[in-house]
């Protein structure tokens, strides 16, 4: 039963350079393109494959390959988007894990289902989006999430999780903890509001729309504005390798924030519901003098200090060394610990 999977589909020493947005030149000992969920069961029953370390790859946009991967890469390549239900409040839209996130957002807008426009142009795949609860411009995936199905590689069965069960947090979910290395997300269902209201909490977005003379924007116009902002501020991975924000915005106590604010009156911080403060990591890194600097082939993007870039031919270890130098410097200058957002493999 397992012979067909391993003999016909598994590729050895597979190059991963085109499959990670940092453009790191590394290879996988074994690689399989997953076009159907049923292939997972075959893999989990094949002892020679089931015991290998596994890496599920979507768009490869939240990943730092620190060397060759001595295991099996499962590349999600499933497709399909459909309206699966509706009620008085929401439309339920299901998308396969392998769908590209931004193309999915555009599909929802073109078909008259607003709600994901603030998450336009985020790199990556639908299946990867819940893992780190992607977010931008005042909306997080969890705000529009309904449920997902996943395959459990240990119990060999498909299961569903609702929003509470996913334990979403800031760039966090159960898939980074209890279900890490165990569950493979197959599809995600979103609940998109029938009575839609624009979310324009972010000054960047209101300013962009005002400049275009729009004061009561459609979802499509918000999407266009966000595409314009992101295109200006963030490097296109097809041109310059990167993984978006490299660090999470750190959360500190009010006391710690007050000390920093007394020292730096222009500190950027956002009050959280629990009384703590989120600091802008980009501001800290910028203020520490790293914006535009390089360490070997790894660099800090000149327009946004939160983004580390591959200046050409960088190894994962070059990016990791730059990240470590920034962490040490920000710790020394501000007493704040920065935590990377991408997964190191
Ligand atoms: N700032 C600087 N210098 C810099 C970069 C930023 O002073 O080099 C300041 C900005 O002026 C601003 C503040 O820091 O006052 C925050 O910057 P920005 O608004 O650009 O947003 P961010 O905190 O850097 C977060 C998300 C992004 C998301 C944007 C917009 C994280 C780690 N990053 O960035 O998400 O697109 O808000 O909502 O939460 C990602 O996760 O990959 C990502 C791009």
């Amino acid at each position: 039963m397992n012979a067909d999977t391993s003999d016909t589909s598994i590729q050895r020493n597979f190059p991963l350079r085109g499959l990670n947005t940092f453009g790191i030149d590394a290879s996988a000992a074994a690689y399989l393109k997953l076009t159907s969920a049923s292939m997972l069961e075959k893999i989990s029953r094949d002892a020679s494959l089931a015991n290998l370390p596994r890496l599920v790859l979507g768009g490869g946009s939240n990943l730092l390959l620190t060397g060759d991967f001595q295991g099996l890469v499962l590349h999600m390549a499933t497709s399909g988007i459909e309206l699966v239900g509706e009620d008085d409040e929401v439309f339920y839209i299901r998308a396969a894990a392998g769908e590209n996130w931004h193309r999915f957002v555009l599909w929802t807008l073109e078909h008259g289902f607003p709600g994901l426009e603030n998450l336009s142009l985020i790199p990556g795949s639908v299946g990867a989006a819940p893992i780190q609860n992607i977010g931008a411009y005042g909306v997080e995936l969890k705000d529009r999430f309904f449920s997902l199905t996943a395959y459990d590689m240990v119990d060999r069965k498909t299961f569903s999780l609702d929003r509470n069960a996913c334990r979403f947090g800031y760039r966090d979910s159960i898939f980074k903890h209890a279900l890490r290395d165990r569950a493979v997300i197959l599809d995600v269902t979103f609940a998109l509001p029938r009575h839609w209201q624009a979310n324009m909490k972010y000054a960047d977005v209101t300013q962009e729309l005002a400049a275009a003379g729009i004061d009561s924007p459609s979802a499509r116009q918000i999407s266009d504005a966000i595409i314009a902002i992101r295109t200006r501020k963030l490097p296109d991975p097809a041109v310059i390798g990167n993984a978006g924000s490299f660090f999470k915005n750190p959360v500190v106590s009010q006391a710690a924030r007050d000390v920093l604010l007394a020292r730096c009156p222009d500190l950027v911080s956002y009050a959280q519901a629990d009384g703590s403060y989120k600091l802008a990591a980009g501001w800290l890194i910028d203020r520490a003098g790293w914006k535009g600097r390089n360490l070997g082939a790894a660099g800090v993007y000149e327009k946004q200090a939160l983004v580390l870039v591959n200046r050409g031919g960088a190894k994962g270890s070059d990016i990791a060394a730059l990240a470590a130098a920034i962490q040490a410097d920000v710790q020394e200058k501000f007493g704040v610990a920065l935590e990377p957002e991408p997964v190191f493999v």
Side-chain angles (χ1 to χ4, degrees):
M1 140 159 235
N2 53 28
D4 59 340
T5 307
S6 42
D7 289 345
T8 61
S9 313
I10 301 269
Q11 292 176 262
R12 307 281 163 181
N13 277 323
F14 193 85
L16 298 176
R17 186 172 173 176
L19 297 180
N20 71 101
T21 59
F22 256 125
I24 304 286
D25 201 359
S27 63
Y31 168 93
L32 178 67
K33 192 171 198 164
L34 269 186
T35 48
S36 81
S38 62
M39 292 166 87
L40 288 171
E41 198 196 336
K42 289 186 180 173
I43 292 162
S44 68
R45 287 187 186 283
D46 183 330
S48 70
L49 297 176
N51 297 327
L52 284 177
R54 245 185 342 261
L55 170 64
V56 180
L57 198 63
S61 59
N62 196 44
L63 174 70
L64 182 66
L65 293 166
T66 55
D68 291 333
F69 182 63
Q70 309 298 340
L72 171 64
V73 165
L74 294 174
H75 186 192
M76 289 306 290
T78 52
S79 61
I81 304 173
E82 57 179 328
L83 173 69
V84 291
E86 58 188 281
D87 57 29
D88 291 347
E89 296 299 320
V90 296
F91 298 105
Y92 297 95
I93 315 283
R94 180 178 300 152
E99 289 284 347
N100 171 272
W101 175 262
H102 181 60
R103 278 203 294 274
F104 166 60
V105 171
L106 293 181
W107 183 96
T108 59
L109 295 174
E110 273 154 24
H111 287 77
F113 307 120
L116 295 173
E117 57 282 351
N118 291 43
L119 304 178
S120 294
L121 210 61
I122 295 183
S125 60
V126 166
I131 298 175
Q132 58 158 346
N133 181 26
I134 58 170
Y137 304 104
V139 175
E140 285 186 333
L141 171 125
K142 73 168 168 49
D143 303 326
R144 305 289 187 228
F145 178 92
F146 182 68
S147 68
L148 59 74
T149 55
Y151 186 75
D152 186 323
M153 297 295 283
V154 177
D155 289 351
R156 293 196 197 109
K157 59 177 194 224
T158 300
F159 63 100
S160 298
L161 293 182
D162 66 11
R163 183 161 58 163
N164 280 339
C166 287
R167 311 241 180 97
F168 291 121
Y170 168 58
R171 297 295 189 275
D172 200 29
S173 74
I174 194 169
F175 299 100
K176 286 191 164 186
H177 303 281
L179 293 179
R180 193 186 165 137
D181 297 329
R182 176 162 182 164
V184 179
I185 295 171
L186 301 175
D187 57 60
V188 185
T189 303
F190 295 84
L192 302 184
R194 210 180 253 287
H195 312 289
W196 174 82
Q197 282 190 322
N199 181 326
M200 297 202 294
K201 278 185 244 162
Y202 269 55
D204 275 4
V205 182
T206 16
Q207 281 160 16
E208 186 76 22
L209 288 161
I214 300 165
D215 58 2
S216 179
S218 66
R220 190 62 210 229
Q221 286 171 321
I222 293 179
S223 171
D224 289 343
I226 284 170
I227 291 170
I229 297 168
R230 291 187 73 102
T231 305
R232 267 202 313 271
K233 275 178 48 170
L234 299 168
D236 177 355
V239 180
I240 177 158
N242 76 90
S245 298
F246 195 87
F247 297 102
K248 296 186 198 177
N249 285 327
V251 176
V252 300
S253 68
Q254 179 170 3
R257 175 260 191 182
D258 288 348
V259 170
L260 283 173
L261 191 61
R263 234 178 74 197
C264 317
D266 56 339
L267 179 82
V268 180
S269 66
Y270 315 95
Q272 304 297 291
D274 64 0
S276 63
Y277 280 83
K278 197 182 263 183
L279 305 180
W283 185 93
L284 295 167
I285 298 166
D286 186 353
R287 185 52 65 94
W290 286 94
K291 201 176 199 165
R293 272 177 68 182
N294 297 329
L295 206 59
V300 181
Y301 191 53
E302 39 289 336
K303 294 185 206 160
Q304 164 58 288
L306 197 47
V307 179
L308 302 193
V309 295
N310 178 353
R311 297 276 179 211
K315 295 192 180 66
S317 53
D318 296 328
I319 306 279
L322 174 61
I326 292 171
Q327 282 171 307
D329 197 36
V330 166
Q331 180 72 54
E332 191 189 310
K333 291 193 167 115
F334 300 103
V336 175
L338 292 181
E339 196 189 321
E341 200 182 286
V343 178
F344 285 47
V345 174

